[in-house]
Amino acid sequence: MANSESELNDNIHRDFYIPTYILAPDAPNKSRHIGLPDNVPTCPVLVFINSKSGGQLGGELLRTFRHLLNKYQVFDLGEEAPDSVLRRVYLNIEKLKSGGDQFAAKTEERMRIIVAGGDGTAGWLLGVVSDLKLSQPPPIATVPLGTGNNLPFAFGWGKKNPGTDLNSVISFLKQVMNAKEMKMDSWHILMRMRAPKGGSCDPIAPLELPHSLHAFHRVSPSDELNVEGFHTFRGGFWNYFSMGMDAQVSYAFHSERKMNPEKFKNQLVNQSAYLKLGCTQGWFFAPLVHRSSRNIAQLTKVKIMRKQGEWQDLHIPHSVRSIVCLNLPSFSGGLNPWGTPNSNKRRYRDLTPPFVDDGLLEVVGFRDAWHGLVLLAPKGHGTRLAQAHRIRFEFHKGAADHTFMRIDGEPWKQPLPEDDDTVVVEISHLGQVKMLATHDCRAKSIHDPSSHFNHEADDDDSDDENSVDEGRRKFGAADTFKIPDEVDVSRLS
């Protein structure tokens, strides 16, 4: 038994362990480990864990990783921000490399990052790695430790909270070592509006948006994006931007959770609360309670750019109350609103499957929660509106005093000036980040022949209009639309 435990420790040390002198040069009793490249760990990892995610699971996962690895390579995001960690580690690596340390150089080449938390936590790391502009940015694996877990699910890491015991963590580490690298697009979002004579048009959030999203902030007067007489905000996202009733329900849920956090400590309870709010906010009965003036087409003009420099108006059906701009094929707990267009739609509408690195966003519309249920049907999807490199929303003068927006699961209530028609939200391609993915993941790369879809097998691509009845019978799947199996519908009020 002792021998097997010793052998296990040797294997972990050989494959994943990073010496302290690379991670924390000022640590006491540091051991300088300079060896030949063959002695470099196969898969050196930096581990970032949100100890507050997943109830008690985040803290348990932190303890297990620190037991297995060097404590200096496992970081609690509640204690230290990832940008300060990565700056310190990579500055030290550069210093060591300049002194001829080949061990440090090879460690940098093989470095991988593991981040455990919700989508916001994962996006935080993605944003930091992008902003630091490292010469060799490490690819990132995501541990599903949140509620939606859309990022981990898209890249094959699952959507259920992971095991935190020794064997589960070792198994995950081995998956990371064998994972493939994939590129993923990132997106910049700009909001500009004329400075109001009174009041404020700052985005109002019910909670502090994660650093992940480069959450909206006003640009400085010296920023090239600043325009005199206007308020300009910028942000970014990895998975999706949505606007309309789905964001309104999400805003109500987050506001309620912020006011009464003690009521939202269980995933099933959270889903039930989300469902109730979906009903009380009118998402299931939108034609009866939702003013048509708040529908997307009546609220804003939408323009898209398919080819560089060529804007064109996008037709939005008048019944659409929610619009989603998707980067990943995983939305609201793992659903794919775009689906896979069949060969006819590819031919006549120039629609393609959803690749995560093609520089295109998929734009999908929903009328109400019942419409969302089509995602449960085979080949089900929302109303496919377009694929675009850039998207621009121009809000109509006086259409509404506010609307609801959401980035990667984080919602806010956005005030709109009633006497001005210059409110603009524009989304454009920003760059790419390196992800780690399992070999059978849902995310597909346009550059990987094995990722391409069978052109004939999906010729029965469903019509979303004809799939609603089947969706109604199944009643729910996404966070926005779902009633959990364990919830007694008759008891909901």
Side-chain angles (χ1 to χ4, degrees):
M1 186 72 177
N3 287 339
S4 62
E5 184 173 342
S6 175
E7 185 178 343
L8 172 64
N9 289 335
D10 287 343
N11 290 339
I12 294 294
H13 192 283
R14 182 188 67 231
D15 290 330
F16 306 103
Y17 191 92
I18 302 176
T20 301
Y21 88 96
I22 288 179
L23 301 160
D26 299 325
N29 301 319
K30 65 179 184 293
S31 58
R32 187 169 181 81
H33 181 170
I34 299 180
L36 298 173
D38 289 345
N39 302 123
V40 176
T42 309
C43 180
V45 292
L46 296 174
V47 184
F48 295 88
I49 298 174
N50 186 342
S51 58
K52 295 181 181 178
S53 291
Q56 300 297 315
L57 295 181
E60 293 173 8
L61 203 60
L62 187 71
R63 287 188 288 273
T64 305
F65 269 105
R66 282 181 172 170
H67 173 73
L68 280 171
L69 302 172
N70 186 340
K71 66 178 181 179
Y72 290 107
Q73 71 187 99
V74 182
F75 306 93
D76 183 350
L77 289 169
E79 297 176 355
E80 188 173 12
D83 49 343
S84 64
V85 170
L86 291 173
R87 280 195 188 94
R88 182 180 68 244
V89 170
Y90 276 85
L91 280 172
N92 190 50
I93 287 176
E94 286 302 316
K95 188 185 298 182
L96 292 168
K97 284 164 53 181
S98 65
D101 190 331
Q102 290 301 306
F103 189 95
K106 289 291 184 181
T107 297
E108 180 186 31
E109 287 178 12
R110 300 178 185 182
M111 189 81 77
R112 296 188 165 196
I113 285 178
I114 295 172
V115 54
D119 285 332
T121 303
W124 185 8
L125 259 296
L126 290 169
V128 167
V129 171
S130 296
D131 290 345
L132 289 177
K133 301 188 185 306
L134 302 170
S135 59
Q136 298 186 69
I140 299 171
T142 54
V143 181
L145 205 61
T147 303
N149 297 322
N150 288 298
L151 266 167
F153 185 64
F155 289 95
W157 303 107
K159 57 182 175 179
K160 293 184 178 180
N161 290 337
T164 60
D165 61 283
L166 210 62
N167 288 334
S168 297
V169 171
I170 291 171
S171 175
F172 186 84
L173 283 169
K174 290 179 179 177
Q175 281 186 286
V176 169
M177 184 165 62
N178 295 321
K180 64 179 180 180
E181 288 189 22
M182 288 184 69
K183 293 286 184 68
M184 177 179 72
D185 292 325
S186 62
W187 296 88
H188 180 262
I189 182 165
L190 180 77
M191 181 186 293
R192 179 173 288 143
M193 61 199 71
R194 191 175 298 280
K197 296 175 182 177
S200 170
C201 282
D202 288 9
I204 300 173
L207 73 172
E208 193 175 322
L209 290 179
H211 317 275
S212 71
L213 316 173
H214 305 180
F216 272 117
H217 63 272
R218 187 176 299 176
V219 302
S220 67
S222 60
D223 194 299
E224 62 180 11
L225 293 173
N226 186 60
V227 176
E228 188 174 351
F230 289 79
H231 289 331
T232 303
F233 305 88
R234 68 191 306 174
F237 65 94
W238 312 99
N239 192 0
Y240 68 89
F241 166 82
S242 72
M243 181 174 64
M245 281 207 75
D246 75 299
Q248 178 180 330
V249 174
S250 180
Y251 175 86
F253 173 79
H254 281 270
S255 298
E256 183 73 20
R257 184 166 64 175
K258 185 181 181 184
M259 289 187 292
N260 303 288
E262 71 282 355
K263 296 180 181 179
F264 295 86
K265 293 186 176 180
N266 178 280
Q267 191 174 29
L268 179 59
V269 171
N270 291 357
Q271 290 174 343
S272 302
Y274 209 111
L275 169 69
K276 290 181 181 179
L277 286 168
C279 293
T280 58
Q281 293 288 315
W283 188 216
F284 279 95
F285 314 103
L288 299 177
V289 302
H290 184 80
R291 296 205 310 270
S292 60
S293 61
R294 292 278 180 89
N295 291 4
I296 301 300
Q298 287 83 343
L299 189 66
T300 180
K301 178 189 288 186
V302 183
K303 295 185 175 184
I304 61 170
M305 186 182 291
R306 286 196 175 99
K307 295 181 180 179
Q308 192 62 37
E310 296 181 14
W311 286 105
Q312 62 185 83
D313 292 338
L314 178 65
H315 172 69
I316 306 292
H318 285 284
S319 59
V320 167
R321 297 175 180 86
S322 178
I323 190 168
V324 185
C325 305
L326 285 158
N327 187 38
L328 301 181
S330 180
F331 172 73
S332 279
L335 298 179
N336 182 2
W338 185 256
T340 304
N342 64 22
S343 55
N344 284 333
K345 291 187 175 70
R346 294 172 189 158
R347 185 179 304 116
Y348 298 117
R349 290 190 59 193
D350 195 26
L351 301 180
T352 72
F355 297 109
V356 300
D357 56 353
D358 59 358
L360 292 173
L361 283 174
E362 283 68 46
V363 187
V364 185
F366 290 100
R367 298 186 299 276
D368 51 29
W370 293 114
H371 186 190
L373 298 180
V374 303
L375 302 183
L376 293 169
K379 309 292 183 181
H381 55 84
T383 299
R384 296 183 184 123
L385 299 172
Q387 288 173 300
H389 296 285
R390 301 181 76 170
I391 304 168
R392 182 180 175 95
F393 298 89
E394 299 177 352
F395 290 88
H396 300 311
K397 179 178 179 178
D401 59 359
H402 68 271
T403 187
F404 295 90
M405 300 180 181
R406 185 161 63 139
I407 297 178
D408 287 358
E410 302 294 338
W412 74 94
K413 180 180 178 180
Q414 174 59 51
L416 300 171
E418 295 187 46
D419 59 351
D420 188 54
D421 58 359
T422 57
V423 181
V424 170
V425 172
E426 188 171 318
I427 299 170
S428 56
H429 190 261
L430 178 64
Q432 292 185 324
V433 291
K434 291 195 289 189
M435 301 296 294
L436 287 170
T438 62
H439 290 271
D440 58 351
C441 70
R442 171 176 288 206
K444 305 298 180 185
S445 168
I446 195 169
H447 303 293
D448 182 0
S450 67
S451 288
H452 285 211
F453 298 79
N454 186 315
H455 281 243
E456 303 302 328
D458 63 344
D459 276 356
D460 60 340
D461 181 19
S462 72
D463 181 342
D464 58 339
E465 300 290 339
N466 296 331
S467 304
V468 174
D469 287 341
E470 184 173 352
R472 282 178 187 261
R473 289 196 295 272
K474 292 186 177 181
F475 202 72
D479 290 342
T480 309
F481 316 127
K482 183 176 184 178
I483 293 182
D485 295 336
E486 298 87 347
V487 175
D488 184 350
V489 179
S490 65
R491 294 181 181 273
L492 296 175
S493 59

